[in-house]
PDB file of all heavy atoms in Angstrom:
ATOM      1  N   ASP A  68     106.182 168.216 290.551  1.00 89.00           N
ATOM      2  CA  ASP A  68     107.010 169.215 291.242  1.00 89.00           C
ATOM      3  C   ASP A  68     106.583 169.187 292.716  1.00 89.00           C
ATOM      4  O   ASP A  68     105.963 170.111 293.226  1.00 89.00           O
ATOM      5  CB  ASP A  68     106.777 170.592 290.622  1.00 89.00           C
ATOM      6  CG  ASP A  68     107.759 171.627 291.140  1.00 89.00           C
ATOM      7  OD1 ASP A  68     108.849 171.243 291.590  1.00 89.00           O
ATOM      8  OD2 ASP A  68     107.431 172.827 291.111  1.00 89.00           O
ATOM      9  N   ALA A  69     106.966 168.094 293.374  1.00 89.00           N
ATOM     10  CA  ALA A  69     106.413 167.737 294.682  1.00 89.00           C
ATOM     11  C   ALA A  69     106.902 168.641 295.801  1.00 89.00           C
ATOM     12  O   ALA A  69     108.099 168.881 295.930  1.00 89.00           O
ATOM     13  CB  ALA A  69     106.807 166.295 295.005  1.00 89.00           C
ATOM     14  N   GLY A 141     115.206 165.190 282.527  1.00 86.00           N
ATOM     15  CA  GLY A 141     114.710 166.079 281.476  1.00 86.00           C
ATOM     16  C   GLY A 141     114.711 165.342 280.150  1.00 86.00           C
ATOM     17  O   GLY A 141     115.684 164.668 279.814  1.00 86.00           O
ATOM     18  N   GLY A 142     113.607 165.425 279.391  1.00 84.00           N
ATOM     19  CA  GLY A 142     113.496 164.722 278.116  1.00 84.00           C
ATOM     20  C   GLY A 142     113.110 163.265 278.279  1.00 84.00           C
ATOM     21  O   GLY A 142     112.984 162.535 277.298  1.00 84.00           O
ATOM     22  N   GLY A 144     110.306 162.028 279.208  1.00 78.00           N
ATOM     23  CA  GLY A 144     108.909 161.728 278.870  1.00 78.00           C
ATOM     24  C   GLY A 144     107.943 162.401 279.821  1.00 78.00           C
ATOM     25  O   GLY A 144     108.344 163.109 280.745  1.00 78.00           O
ATOM     26  N   ALA A 146     104.344 162.474 282.394  1.00 80.00           N
ATOM     27  CA  ALA A 146     103.971 161.781 283.628  1.00 80.00           C
ATOM     28  C   ALA A 146     102.698 160.956 283.423  1.00 80.00           C
ATOM     29  O   ALA A 146     102.001 160.636 284.377  1.00 80.00           O
ATOM     30  CB  ALA A 146     103.787 162.805 284.750  1.00 80.00           C
ATOM     31  N   GLU A 177      95.884 170.072 283.667  1.00 84.00           N
ATOM     32  CA  GLU A 177      96.180 168.875 282.868  1.00 84.00           C
ATOM     33  C   GLU A 177      95.728 167.593 283.561  1.00 84.00           C
ATOM     34  O   GLU A 177      95.273 166.660 282.904  1.00 84.00           O
ATOM     35  CB  GLU A 177      97.666 168.788 282.500  1.00 84.00           C
ATOM     36  CG  GLU A 177      97.865 167.648 281.502  1.00 84.00           C
ATOM     37  CD  GLU A 177      99.225 167.597 280.846  1.00 84.00           C
ATOM     38  OE1 GLU A 177     100.086 168.444 281.152  1.00 84.00           O
ATOM     39  OE2 GLU A 177      99.418 166.696 280.015  1.00 84.00           O
ATOM     40  N   LEU A 179      93.152 167.046 284.972  1.00 87.00           N
ATOM     41  CA  LEU A 179      91.729 166.824 284.683  1.00 87.00           C
ATOM     42  C   LEU A 179      91.534 166.210 283.305  1.00 87.00           C
ATOM     43  O   LEU A 179      90.612 165.417 283.102  1.00 87.00           O
ATOM     44  CB  LEU A 179      90.960 168.130 284.825  1.00 87.00           C
ATOM     45  CG  LEU A 179      90.864 168.571 286.296  1.00 87.00           C
ATOM     46  CD1 LEU A 179      90.682 170.066 286.412  1.00 87.00           C
ATOM     47  CD2 LEU A 179      89.737 167.836 287.000  1.00 87.00           C
ATOM     48  N   GLY A 180      92.401 166.552 282.349  1.00 85.00           N
ATOM     49  CA  GLY A 180      92.387 165.874 281.052  1.00 85.00           C
ATOM     50  C   GLY A 180      92.666 164.390 281.255  1.00 85.00           C
ATOM     51  O   GLY A 180      92.087 163.532 280.600  1.00 85.00           O
ATOM     52  N   ARG A 181      93.546 164.100 282.203  1.00 83.00           N
ATOM     53  CA  ARG A 181      93.932 162.713 282.486  1.00 83.00           C
ATOM     54  C   ARG A 181      92.973 162.018 283.447  1.00 83.00           C
ATOM     55  O   ARG A 181      93.110 160.830 283.700  1.00 83.00           O
ATOM     56  CB  ARG A 181      95.313 162.706 283.124  1.00 83.00           C
ATOM     57  CG  ARG A 181      96.412 163.071 282.173  1.00 83.00           C
ATOM     58  CD  ARG A 181      97.654 163.412 282.954  1.00 83.00           C
ATOM     59  NE  ARG A 181      98.832 163.360 282.125  1.00 83.00           N
ATOM     60  CZ  ARG A 181      99.964 163.998 282.406  1.00 83.00           C
ATOM     61  NH1 ARG A 181     100.039 164.724 283.497  1.00 83.00           N
ATOM     62  NH2 ARG A 181     100.995 163.898 281.617  1.00 83.00           N
ATOM     63  N   SER A 203      91.126 180.318 286.319  1.00 94.00           N
ATOM     64  CA  SER A 203      91.595 178.933 286.474  1.00 94.00           C
ATOM     65  C   SER A 203      90.539 178.092 287.180  1.00 94.00           C
ATOM     66  O   SER A 203      90.281 176.949 286.796  1.00 94.00           O
ATOM     67  CB  SER A 203      92.887 178.886 287.297  1.00 94.00           C
ATOM     68  OG  SER A 203      93.954 179.437 286.580  1.00 94.00           O
ATOM     69  N   ARG A 206      87.744 177.101 284.914  1.00 93.00           N
ATOM     70  CA  ARG A 206      88.204 176.037 284.012  1.00 93.00           C
ATOM     71  C   ARG A 206      88.208 174.687 284.742  1.00 93.00           C
ATOM     72  O   ARG A 206      87.740 173.681 284.220  1.00 93.00           O
ATOM     73  CB  ARG A 206      89.631 176.384 283.592  1.00 93.00           C
ATOM     74  CG  ARG A 206      89.874 176.378 282.116  1.00 93.00           C
ATOM     75  CD  ARG A 206      91.263 176.970 281.825  1.00 93.00           C
ATOM     76  NE  ARG A 206      91.209 178.376 281.545  1.00 93.00           N
ATOM     77  CZ  ARG A 206      92.150 179.277 281.878  1.00 93.00           C
ATOM     78  NH1 ARG A 206      93.235 178.911 282.530  1.00 93.00           N
ATOM     79  NH2 ARG A 206      92.006 180.541 281.569  1.00 93.00           N
ATOM     80  N   ASP A 213      83.142 167.319 283.858  1.00 92.00           N
ATOM     81  CA  ASP A 213      83.292 166.351 282.753  1.00 92.00           C
ATOM     82  C   ASP A 213      83.676 164.959 283.257  1.00 92.00           C
ATOM     83  O   ASP A 213      83.283 163.959 282.671  1.00 92.00           O
ATOM     84  CB  ASP A 213      84.391 166.801 281.775  1.00 92.00           C
ATOM     85  CG  ASP A 213      83.992 167.990 280.922  1.00 92.00           C
ATOM     86  OD1 ASP A 213      82.797 168.311 280.879  1.00 92.00           O
ATOM     87  OD2 ASP A 213      84.885 168.589 280.292  1.00 92.00           O
ATOM     88  N   ASP A 231      89.130 191.553 299.310  1.00 95.00           N
ATOM     89  CA  ASP A 231      89.609 190.297 298.727  1.00 95.00           C
ATOM     90  C   ASP A 231      88.527 189.226 298.773  1.00 95.00           C
ATOM     91  O   ASP A 231      88.282 188.530 297.793  1.00 95.00           O
ATOM     92  CB  ASP A 231      90.813 189.751 299.527  1.00 95.00           C
ATOM     93  CG  ASP A 231      92.121 190.406 299.141  1.00 95.00           C
ATOM     94  OD1 ASP A 231      92.132 191.204 298.187  1.00 95.00           O
ATOM     95  OD2 ASP A 231      93.134 190.112 299.812  1.00 95.00           O
ATOM     96  N   ARG A 255     104.703 182.302 304.977  1.00 88.00           N
ATOM     97  CA  ARG A 255     105.994 182.492 304.312  1.00 88.00           C
ATOM     98  C   ARG A 255     107.130 182.043 305.224  1.00 88.00           C
ATOM     99  O   ARG A 255     108.090 181.434 304.794  1.00 88.00           O
ATOM    100  CB  ARG A 255     106.212 183.968 303.962  1.00 88.00           C
ATOM    101  CG  ARG A 255     105.461 184.405 302.705  1.00 88.00           C
ATOM    102  CD  ARG A 255     105.455 185.913 302.576  1.00 88.00           C
ATOM    103  NE  ARG A 255     106.759 186.481 302.288  1.00 88.00           N
ATOM    104  CZ  ARG A 255     107.052 187.193 301.206  1.00 88.00           C
ATOM    105  NH1 ARG A 255     106.152 187.393 300.275  1.00 88.00           N
ATOM    106  NH2 ARG A 255     108.257 187.705 301.021  1.00 88.00           N
ATOM    107  N   ARG A 259     109.887 179.077 304.722  1.00 89.00           N
ATOM    108  CA  ARG A 259     111.298 179.419 304.699  1.00 89.00           C
ATOM    109  C   ARG A 259     112.103 178.621 305.730  1.00 89.00           C
ATOM    110  O   ARG A 259     113.226 178.211 305.482  1.00 89.00           O
ATOM    111  CB  ARG A 259     111.420 180.918 305.005  1.00 89.00           C
ATOM    112  CG  ARG A 259     112.769 181.466 304.764  1.00 89.00           C
ATOM    113  CD  ARG A 259     112.777 182.922 305.015  1.00 89.00           C
ATOM    114  NE  ARG A 259     111.956 183.633 304.030  1.00 89.00           N
ATOM    115  CZ  ARG A 259     111.822 184.956 304.016  1.00 89.00           C
ATOM    116  NH1 ARG A 259     112.415 185.697 304.924  1.00 89.00           N
ATOM    117  NH2 ARG A 259     111.090 185.527 303.093  1.00 89.00           N
TER     118      ARG A 259
ATOM    119  N   ASP B  40      96.628 175.712 281.489  1.00 89.00           N
ATOM    120  CA  ASP B  40      95.842 176.608 282.342  1.00 89.00           C
ATOM    121  C   ASP B  40      96.280 178.041 282.003  1.00 89.00           C
ATOM    122  O   ASP B  40      96.929 178.729 282.785  1.00 89.00           O
ATOM    123  CB  ASP B  40      96.095 176.285 283.810  1.00 89.00           C
ATOM    124  CG  ASP B  40      95.142 177.042 284.735  1.00 89.00           C
ATOM    125  OD1 ASP B  40      94.053 177.429 284.286  1.00 89.00           O
ATOM    126  OD2 ASP B  40      95.503 177.241 285.909  1.00 89.00           O
ATOM    127  N   GLY B 113      87.424 167.425 280.350  1.00 86.00           N
ATOM    128  CA  GLY B 113      87.920 166.579 281.432  1.00 86.00           C
ATOM    129  C   GLY B 113      87.881 165.127 280.989  1.00 86.00           C
ATOM    130  O   GLY B 113      86.882 164.682 280.425  1.00 86.00           O
ATOM    131  N   GLY B 114      88.970 164.376 281.206  1.00 84.00           N
ATOM    132  CA  GLY B 114      89.036 162.985 280.779  1.00 84.00           C
ATOM    133  C   GLY B 114      89.392 162.831 279.312  1.00 84.00           C
ATOM    134  O   GLY B 114      89.498 161.709 278.815  1.00 84.00           O
ATOM    135  N   GLY B 116      92.186 163.429 277.849  1.00 78.00           N
ATOM    136  CA  GLY B 116      93.568 163.008 277.613  1.00 78.00           C
ATOM    137  C   GLY B 116      94.568 164.051 278.063  1.00 78.00           C
ATOM    138  O   GLY B 116      94.199 165.114 278.565  1.00 78.00           O
ATOM    139  N   ALA B 118      98.221 166.514 277.559  1.00 80.00           N
ATOM    140  CA  ALA B 118      98.603 167.569 276.624  1.00 80.00           C
ATOM    141  C   ALA B 118      99.846 167.178 275.833  1.00 80.00           C
ATOM    142  O   ALA B 118     100.546 168.036 275.301  1.00 80.00           O
ATOM    143  CB  ALA B 118      98.825 168.873 277.384  1.00 80.00           C
ATOM    144  N   GLU B 149     106.842 169.158 284.572  1.00 85.00           N
ATOM    145  CA  GLU B 149     106.516 168.136 283.568  1.00 85.00           C
ATOM    146  C   GLU B 149     106.947 168.531 282.162  1.00 85.00           C
ATOM    147  O   GLU B 149     107.376 167.684 281.378  1.00 85.00           O
ATOM    148  CB  GLU B 149     105.021 167.776 283.588  1.00 85.00           C
ATOM    149  CG  GLU B 149     104.792 166.561 282.690  1.00 85.00           C
ATOM    150  CD  GLU B 149     103.407 165.946 282.784  1.00 85.00           C
ATOM    151  OE1 GLU B 149     102.579 166.438 283.549  1.00 85.00           O
ATOM    152  OE2 GLU B 149     103.191 164.962 282.062  1.00 85.00           O
ATOM    153  N   LEU B 151     109.541 169.747 281.283  1.00 87.00           N
ATOM    154  CA  LEU B 151     110.956 169.397 281.108  1.00 87.00           C
ATOM    155  C   LEU B 151     111.119 167.914 280.795  1.00 87.00           C
ATOM    156  O   LEU B 151     112.022 167.519 280.065  1.00 87.00           O
ATOM    157  CB  LEU B 151     111.753 169.791 282.351  1.00 87.00           C
ATOM    158  CG  LEU B 151     111.886 171.317 282.473  1.00 87.00           C
ATOM    159  CD1 LEU B 151     112.096 171.731 283.908  1.00 87.00           C
ATOM    160  CD2 LEU B 151     113.005 171.833 281.588  1.00 87.00           C
ATOM    161  N   GLY B 152     110.243 167.076 281.347  1.00 85.00           N
ATOM    162  CA  GLY B 152     110.215 165.673 280.951  1.00 85.00           C
ATOM    163  C   GLY B 152     109.912 165.561 279.459  1.00 85.00           C
ATOM    164  O   GLY B 152     110.466 164.736 278.748  1.00 85.00           O
ATOM    165  N   ARG B 153     109.037 166.443 278.993  1.00 83.00           N
ATOM    166  CA  ARG B 153     108.632 166.437 277.587  1.00 83.00           C
ATOM    167  C   ARG B 153     109.586 167.207 276.697  1.00 83.00           C
ATOM    168  O   ARG B 153     109.423 167.221 275.474  1.00 83.00           O
ATOM    169  CB  ARG B 153     107.249 167.084 277.474  1.00 83.00           C
ATOM    170  CG  ARG B 153     106.145 166.256 278.032  1.00 83.00           C
ATOM    171  CD  ARG B 153     104.928 167.120 278.255  1.00 83.00           C
ATOM    172  NE  ARG B 153     103.729 166.326 278.379  1.00 83.00           N
ATOM    173  CZ  ARG B 153     102.619 166.753 278.953  1.00 83.00           C
ATOM    174  NH1 ARG B 153     102.576 167.973 279.461  1.00 83.00           N
ATOM    175  NH2 ARG B 153     101.571 165.981 279.036  1.00 83.00           N
ATOM    176  N   SER B 175     111.851 173.781 293.962  1.00 94.00           N
ATOM    177  CA  SER B 175     111.362 173.659 292.576  1.00 94.00           C
ATOM    178  C   SER B 175     112.424 174.152 291.597  1.00 94.00           C
ATOM    179  O   SER B 175     112.650 173.530 290.559  1.00 94.00           O
ATOM    180  CB  SER B 175     110.091 174.478 292.375  1.00 94.00           C
ATOM    181  OG  SER B 175     109.018 173.918 293.077  1.00 94.00           O
ATOM    182  N   ARG B 178     115.148 171.676 291.052  1.00 93.00           N
ATOM    183  CA  ARG B 178     114.656 170.577 290.209  1.00 93.00           C
ATOM    184  C   ARG B 178     114.648 171.012 288.730  1.00 93.00           C
ATOM    185  O   ARG B 178     115.077 170.278 287.856  1.00 93.00           O
ATOM    186  CB  ARG B 178     113.225 170.261 290.659  1.00 93.00           C
ATOM    187  CG  ARG B 178     112.963 168.827 290.962  1.00 93.00           C
ATOM    188  CD  ARG B 178     111.591 168.697 291.618  1.00 93.00           C
ATOM    189  NE  ARG B 178     111.652 168.714 293.059  1.00 93.00           N
ATOM    190  CZ  ARG B 178     110.747 169.244 293.874  1.00 93.00           C
ATOM    191  NH1 ARG B 178     109.667 169.841 293.392  1.00 93.00           N
ATOM    192  NH2 ARG B 178     110.900 169.188 295.175  1.00 93.00           N
ATOM    193  N   ASP B 185     119.552 168.518 281.617  1.00 92.00           N
ATOM    194  CA  ASP B 185     119.361 167.235 280.912  1.00 92.00           C
ATOM    195  C   ASP B 185     118.949 167.441 279.454  1.00 92.00           C
ATOM    196  O   ASP B 185     119.306 166.641 278.590  1.00 92.00           O
ATOM    197  CB  ASP B 185     118.250 166.390 281.580  1.00 92.00           C
ATOM    198  CG  ASP B 185     118.666 165.802 282.919  1.00 92.00           C
ATOM    199  OD1 ASP B 185     119.871 165.809 283.227  1.00 92.00           O
ATOM    200  OD2 ASP B 185     117.775 165.326 283.646  1.00 92.00           O
ATOM    201  N   ASP B 203     114.279 188.781 302.221  1.00 95.00           N
ATOM    202  CA  ASP B 203     113.769 187.958 301.114  1.00 95.00           C
ATOM    203  C   ASP B 203     114.835 187.759 300.049  1.00 95.00           C
ATOM    204  O   ASP B 203     115.056 186.649 299.558  1.00 95.00           O
ATOM    205  CB  ASP B 203     112.575 188.655 300.425  1.00 95.00           C
ATOM    206  CG  ASP B 203     111.264 188.446 301.170  1.00 95.00           C
ATOM    207  OD1 ASP B 203     111.254 187.676 302.148  1.00 95.00           O
ATOM    208  OD2 ASP B 203     110.262 189.055 300.751  1.00 95.00           O
ATOM    209  N   ARG B 227      98.628 192.715 292.232  1.00 88.00           N
ATOM    210  CA  ARG B 227      97.328 192.135 292.570  1.00 88.00           C
ATOM    211  C   ARG B 227      96.199 192.946 291.969  1.00 88.00           C
ATOM    212  O   ARG B 227      95.216 192.413 291.480  1.00 88.00           O
ATOM    213  CB  ARG B 227      97.141 192.089 294.097  1.00 88.00           C
ATOM    214  CG  ARG B 227      97.866 190.947 294.791  1.00 88.00           C
ATOM    215  CD  ARG B 227      97.896 191.141 296.290  1.00 88.00           C
ATOM    216  NE  ARG B 227      96.605 190.980 296.920  1.00 88.00           N
ATOM    217  CZ  ARG B 227      96.311 190.057 297.836  1.00 88.00           C
ATOM    218  NH1 ARG B 227      97.221 189.188 298.217  1.00 88.00           N
ATOM    219  NH2 ARG B 227      95.133 189.997 298.394  1.00 88.00           N
ATOM    220  N   ARG B 231      93.375 191.897 289.220  1.00 89.00           N
ATOM    221  CA  ARG B 231      91.967 191.975 289.577  1.00 89.00           C
ATOM    222  C   ARG B 231      91.169 192.830 288.600  1.00 89.00           C
ATOM    223  O   ARG B 231      90.036 192.519 288.262  1.00 89.00           O
ATOM    224  CB  ARG B 231      91.887 192.585 290.982  1.00 89.00           C
ATOM    225  CG  ARG B 231      90.555 192.505 291.585  1.00 89.00           C
ATOM    226  CD  ARG B 231      90.598 193.039 292.982  1.00 89.00           C
ATOM    227  NE  ARG B 231      91.409 192.211 293.862  1.00 89.00           N
ATOM    228  CZ  ARG B 231      91.550 192.454 295.153  1.00 89.00           C
ATOM    229  NH1 ARG B 231      90.980 193.504 295.692  1.00 89.00           N
ATOM    230  NH2 ARG B 231      92.269 191.653 295.890  1.00 89.00           N
TER     231      ARG B 231
END
Side-chain angles (χ1 to χ4, degrees):
Chain A
D68 189 24
E177 188 169 1
L179 290 155
R181 289 164 162 158
S203 291
R206 232 170 266 146
D213 288 346
D231 278 354
R255 281 167 69 120
R259 191 177 293 182
Chain B
D40 189 24
E149 189 170 0
L151 289 155
R153 289 163 162 159
S175 291
R178 232 170 266 145
D185 288 346
D203 279 354
R227 281 167 70 119
R231 191 176 294 183

